Amino acid sequence: MDDPNTKRNTCLFIVFLLLAGVANALTYTRILAFDALMCECSYLIYVGLLLFWIQSVRARLLPSRERAWLIGAALMMLFYLLLRIFKYRFTEEVIPLRYAVYLYFVPMTMIPTFFLIACLRILRGGHRAGRWDEALLLIPQGLLSLLAVTNDLHRLVYVPKIALNEFTVNTGTYTYGPVFYALYGWMILSFAAGLILLLRESMRQRGKALLFLLVAVAAWFGMLLIYVQFIDGIYGPHMYNTPEINMFGMLGVLEVCIRYHLIPHNANYADFFATLRIPALVTDGALRPVYRTEGGIRADADQLRAALKAPV
């Protein structure tokens, strides 16, 4: 039996995600104070949703390398959002604006890399030790990120058409260097490889996981295609931009993996303990009962403390 709070949490998550989209659409009124307020509201909601998801992953998944990589990817999403807030709302200085754009590529490459490594862990199973090729994936990601951050030295990512002391990576002021294409190639290949691994694992396990995984992927790329084809480049109200579509699209895919137990899952313990035929009691650090078997041990906190001190 699933956690009874699952449906409620899912509905609340979707409602707040829609509210963030509405707030973003209301940033085009040309009333500066109101537009700024709506922009900040949308970002605060996104940050809150990511923090909520991270906490839920910590609670729902068993301690594992998969869980660590998923949380790492979500933390990089938070970092990316904070960079965007900083760039668009907190600075107008040339150098901070330029380096905020350069730093975008750190989470933009780390997120798909962590996603791919997590997918490798899912495919291999949590009981199997990590392999050298998982850590090896971090090397090209790290080198590409370093090249992006040091673009002023070599100009292999963005090639400015104007003086560097005026360059803020605005449209029309640069051309793309070869490393720019390498960065996006790495991101696309990492996401594609991770999705292929997930589809392979869901097919192996059989059941509803494959169906819902396909639905999540279709929804993600469907929204991305609609944005790129019909919305991007048009100034006017729209609910989401490419970063939000990609971040929450990926979370949707990972959520399917969690819900359908492609990842070691920390669920249904209450029912498991309730069906045991031995008297047992599991408490938290403050000795409050968490799980209890049918006809299990009945004792208050003082009695439990006394029992812990008694010789075995």
Side-chain angles (χ1 to χ4, degrees):
M1 177 170 46
D2 291 332
D3 185 342
N5 293 323
T6 297
K7 290 183 178 179
R8 183 200 65 185
N9 291 340
T10 301
C11 291
L12 285 173
F13 194 96
I14 293 172
V15 167
F16 277 101
L17 187 58
L18 290 172
L19 286 175
V22 171
N24 187 65
L26 292 174
T27 60
Y28 294 84
T29 66
R30 298 184 185 274
I31 303 172
L32 294 181
F34 182 77
D35 290 353
L37 176 63
M38 290 297 99
C39 180
E40 289 158 8
C41 284
S42 66
Y43 276 114
L44 284 174
I45 294 173
Y46 291 141
V47 169
L49 290 176
L50 284 171
L51 289 173
F52 170 79
W53 192 80
I54 290 170
Q55 180 56 37
S56 76
V57 167
R58 292 184 68 251
R60 289 183 293 162
L61 296 188
L62 297 171
S64 62
R65 294 169 66 88
E66 294 95 321
R67 187 178 78 168
W69 290 117
L70 296 189
I71 291 175
L75 289 173
M76 285 297 103
M77 293 179 192
L78 279 173
F79 179 46
Y80 185 39
L81 283 176
L82 293 174
L83 282 174
R84 285 172 62 81
I85 295 170
F86 174 77
K87 179 179 184 293
Y88 290 111
R89 292 296 167 187
F90 287 97
T91 186
E92 294 182 356
E93 298 294 326
V94 172
I95 293 177
L97 282 173
R98 184 166 69 248
Y99 274 90
V101 177
Y102 293 168
L103 283 168
Y104 280 173
F105 285 105
V106 175
M108 284 173 65
T109 54
M110 290 185 81
I111 291 167
T113 303
F114 287 2
F115 175 69
L116 175 56
I117 295 174
C119 293
L120 283 169
R121 296 300 313 163
I122 292 169
L123 185 67
R124 291 169 176 170
H127 61 283
R128 296 179 65 179
R131 295 187 179 183
W132 60 270
D133 55 346
E134 295 172 7
L136 192 62
L137 290 171
L138 296 173
I139 296 176
Q141 180 276 321
L143 289 174
L144 288 169
S145 296
L146 182 62
L147 286 171
V149 174
T150 59
N151 183 70
D152 284 358
L153 300 177
H154 48 72
R155 306 186 186 187
L156 293 174
V157 182
Y158 295 106
V159 183
K161 295 180 180 179
I162 59 177
L164 197 60
N165 60 2
E166 299 175 359
F167 183 53
T168 58
V169 203
N170 285 329
T171 302
T173 63
Y174 60 86
T175 57
Y176 298 119
V179 175
F180 178 89
Y181 298 103
L183 284 159
Y184 271 86
W186 176 260
M187 287 184 268
I188 292 169
L189 286 174
S190 297
F191 273 130
L195 289 173
I196 290 169
L197 293 176
L198 288 181
L199 290 170
R200 176 181 171 185
E201 179 65 11
S202 62
M203 290 173 65
R204 186 184 69 82
Q205 293 196 12
R206 300 178 182 179
K208 294 182 179 179
L210 177 60
L211 173 62
F212 283 96
L213 190 58
L214 290 172
V215 169
V217 172
W220 176 5
F221 287 103
M223 289 188 65
L224 189 60
L225 182 63
I226 290 170
Y227 179 83
V228 171
Q229 291 294 321
F230 303 106
I231 300 174
D232 190 24
I234 300 175
Y235 182 84
H238 54 271
M239 294 181 67
Y240 305 105
N241 299 307
T242 304
E244 293 85 42
I245 293 172
N246 285 332
M247 284 189 292
F248 289 97
M250 193 180 94
L251 288 190
V253 169
L254 296 175
E255 189 64 22
V256 170
C257 296
I258 294 171
R259 296 282 179 93
Y260 292 93
H261 298 191
L262 296 179
I263 305 172
H265 201 280
N266 184 23
N268 209 24
Y269 280 5
D271 285 350
F272 171 74
F273 275 92
T275 57
L276 289 178
R277 297 183 179 276
I278 60 173
L281 173 67
V282 177
T283 71
D284 60 15
L287 298 180
R288 292 185 293 263
V290 177
Y291 301 114
R292 193 195 305 270
T293 61
E294 184 69 24
I297 299 169
R298 304 289 172 179
D300 58 31
D302 291 334
Q303 291 172 319
L304 290 172
R305 290 190 186 91
L308 288 173
K309 294 177 182 179
V312 178

